[in-house]
Amino acid sequence: MSEQITLSPRQRQDLRTIAAMIIPPSEEYRVPGADDDIIQADILATLGRDTRPVAAALDHVARLAGMPLADLEPAARDAVAQEFRNSGGAPAATLVRVVLQCYYRDDRVLRSLGLELRAPFPKGHVLPDGDWSLLDPVKARAGTLRRAP
């Protein structure tokens, strides 16, 4: 069984600050920033297997900043962010991916992009229960046998 990892309060604070730097709120498009409480809760709830690399990225930011990122002056914060981009490696990429994935699945953001809040298929057409005709092309294919790895 693997050890359960959680982010410390300082890491959570730095995560919120970094998220706001990646995507600030926009009054023009009426969308929150990535530091929004709902988006932050989604990030923390869905980290899962990404917790370890995100924690490593946040530890790297803490070493670069020497204090909570939010306590730095804006110019110093930007300098730390630039150094983080240059030296953060795969953990930094994971952190950015996690922030973006949670941000762009938020309903408010989807609406601002003109996207519908439901699956794009079947585009409002109701499929009768038990109608499996969509699978006919798949069933018509010859079976494929492959050796399991």
Side-chain angles (χ1 to χ4, degrees):
M1 192 160 38
S2 66
E3 173 187 342
Q4 178 84 15
I5 306 171
T6 58
L7 299 181
S8 70
R10 165 133 181 212
Q11 288 173 321
R12 289 175 184 223
Q13 181 184 15
D14 283 348
L15 173 62
R16 184 178 291 272
T17 303
I18 291 168
M21 293 173 74
I22 294 172
I23 304 175
S26 171
E27 289 295 323
E28 180 182 356
Y29 297 107
R30 295 187 312 257
V31 292
D35 62 334
D36 178 78
D37 289 341
I38 294 170
I39 295 168
Q40 286 293 302
D42 186 24
I43 291 171
L44 295 173
T46 60
L47 270 176
R49 67 187 172 112
D50 291 324
T51 304
R52 192 174 301 276
V54 166
L58 293 169
D59 288 344
H60 183 62
V61 166
R63 282 190 300 278
L64 293 173
M67 64 174 58
L69 200 56
D71 293 349
L72 292 175
E73 295 296 322
R77 194 179 314 143
D78 290 342
V80 168
Q82 183 61 43
E83 180 61 29
F84 177 64
R85 279 191 292 270
N86 294 337
S87 63
T94 300
L95 175 96
V96 171
R97 177 184 50 77
V98 164
V99 169
L100 293 177
Q101 117 190 343
C102 291
Y103 182 78
Y104 284 106
R105 71 175 168 219
D106 184 85
D107 291 350
R108 297 163 294 174
V109 175
L110 290 173
R111 278 189 208 98
S112 78
L113 295 171
L115 299 174
E116 299 176 28
L117 303 180
R118 62 177 174 79
F121 183 79
K123 281 290 192 194
H125 302 288
V126 176
L127 298 177
D129 284 339
D131 180 7
W132 297 99
S133 62
L134 291 173
L135 292 177
D136 288 343
V138 176
K139 291 182 204 174
R141 292 186 202 153
T144 304
L145 299 176
R146 296 188 179 131
R147 184 174 303 277

